[in-house]
Amino acid sequence: MTTIAELAEDRTVEGVYAVGRKERRRTRNGQPYLALELVDPSGRIEARVWSDVELLDRRFGEGDAVRVLGRVERFGGKLQVQVRALEAAPDADPASMAPAMRRDADELDGFLEFLAGEIAHPGLAELVAGFLDDGALRASLRALPAAGADGHHGYAGGLLEHTVGVTTLCRETAQLHPRLRHDLLVAAALVHDVGRTLELERGPAFRQTEEGRLLGHVHLGLRLIEQRAGGLDAALRAELLHAVASHHDRASARTAEASVLYHANQLDAQAATRPVGEG
């Protein structure tokens, strides 16, 4: 089997992959075709089905595992699989084929706990510990991307990697600027994306849940935090919620900690996605 990372132009493809996206489209002449995104733990690639569209369309759905035979060509500057034959692969587990991060998840988990352990404020420490003691939430951090399949850290475990990245940036900034409230900033960073665990389904497609589509991860995260933050002083709880609420909206940040969290979130996302030069 050829992994997606190994694919090269003018190479034959034969293997089992998951369907991360499936769309039925039409050519300019009105002929139907299927636009697919095939994924495996090594990456993702676009694919097209031009022939026997009606027959093949009924054989699989988005999120299924499929066995593919085709050839890699270059289109629009990107590699693309031209599918010659395709069938469902019912014995394969599609979730295990979701693109995965390259960093060690156990190491990131350990650093997540280290960062949480630096929070001295009893109420904030208890709140964060409650999230980290939630087995389902911890599993979701390893299984979900940070912002969907097409966003930054768009692979299984990206949510864990991004959470650690943002929190590390916030921790370092608080050390550089002692005027910042370290515990509030680090706690906000650790929980700023907990709403993703309710917004997204597991791979390979990482679809939005219905609740996620309608409410979004920020609202869902605020709701989770409010449910667990009853022991916090009301003023501190409001500041924590404000920082999380504004981590995608620079103009709405009213505190230094909220502003730092916004910029740390943006920096980690940009560093993970913007192209870099060679050499």
Side-chain angles (χ1 to χ4, degrees):
M1 172 176 159
T2 310
T3 67
I4 289 173
E6 296 171 328
L7 296 180
E9 190 174 0
D10 296 328
R11 180 168 179 174
T12 298
V13 181
E14 186 171 6
V16 176
Y17 310 99
V19 180
R21 188 180 70 251
K22 175 185 178 183
E23 297 178 7
R24 184 162 176 148
R25 301 177 182 174
R26 290 190 177 275
T27 66
R28 293 179 180 178
N29 295 328
Q31 297 300 310
Y33 70 97
L34 298 179
L36 310 178
E37 182 184 62
L38 303 178
V39 301
D40 71 7
S42 74
R44 57 183 81 238
I45 191 170
E46 295 289 321
R48 297 291 185 266
V49 177
W50 302 105
S51 303
D52 300 320
V53 173
E54 298 295 339
L55 174 65
L56 296 180
D57 191 16
R58 295 193 294 268
R59 290 184 176 179
F60 69 100
E62 190 173 272
D64 289 349
V66 293
R67 186 176 300 279
V68 174
L69 176 65
R71 188 167 184 82
V72 181
E73 298 180 1
R74 189 170 295 277
F75 181 80
K78 296 182 179 180
L79 296 181
Q80 187 179 96
V81 176
Q82 306 302 314
V83 177
R84 297 176 180 173
L86 183 150
E87 61 184 11
D91 295 334
D93 177 15
S96 69
M97 298 180 189
M101 64 179 173
R102 300 290 177 262
R103 297 181 64 181
D104 185 275
D106 290 337
E107 182 181 348
L108 286 170
D109 253 337
F111 199 52
L112 187 77
E113 293 176 359
F114 165 77
L115 291 165
E118 288 201 331
I119 299 174
H121 187 281
L124 291 171
E126 181 180 1
L127 172 66
V128 170
F131 279 110
L132 297 193
D133 289 341
D134 185 329
L137 186 140
R138 292 290 288 273
S140 293
L141 292 179
R142 286 179 173 236
L144 296 175
D150 298 324
H152 65 89
H153 300 82
Y155 40 78
L159 183 55
L160 173 61
E161 188 175 345
H162 177 59
T163 299
V164 169
V166 171
T167 308
T168 301
L169 290 168
C170 288
R171 172 182 180 265
E172 297 299 317
T173 305
Q175 290 180 341
L176 286 170
H177 298 279
R179 65 184 289 268
L180 296 171
R181 288 166 291 177
H182 168 277
D183 289 355
L184 172 61
L185 181 54
V186 169
L190 286 167
V191 301
H192 82 281
D193 263 353
V194 293
R196 296 286 190 195
T197 65
L198 298 179
E199 182 198 28
L200 301 173
E201 296 178 354
R202 299 197 176 191
F206 300 121
R207 303 184 190 93
Q208 283 186 308
T209 63
E210 185 63 13
E211 191 175 40
R213 184 182 69 83
L214 294 174
L215 299 178
H217 79 285
V218 174
H219 180 92
L220 293 172
L222 294 173
R223 192 169 69 184
L224 280 174
I225 295 166
E226 284 190 292
Q227 290 170 354
R228 303 184 185 205
L232 283 182
D233 171 79
L236 182 60
R237 182 170 66 248
E239 293 210 62
L240 176 68
L241 291 169
H242 169 68
V244 173
S246 57
H247 79 267
H248 280 293
D249 186 359
R250 180 177 60 181
S252 71
R254 296 289 184 266
T255 66
E257 291 79 14
S259 182
V260 169
L261 178 58
Y262 165 82
H263 285 288
N265 183 68
Q266 290 295 310
L267 176 57
D268 191 64
Q270 294 296 324
T273 55
R274 287 293 180 97
V276 297
E278 297 180 358

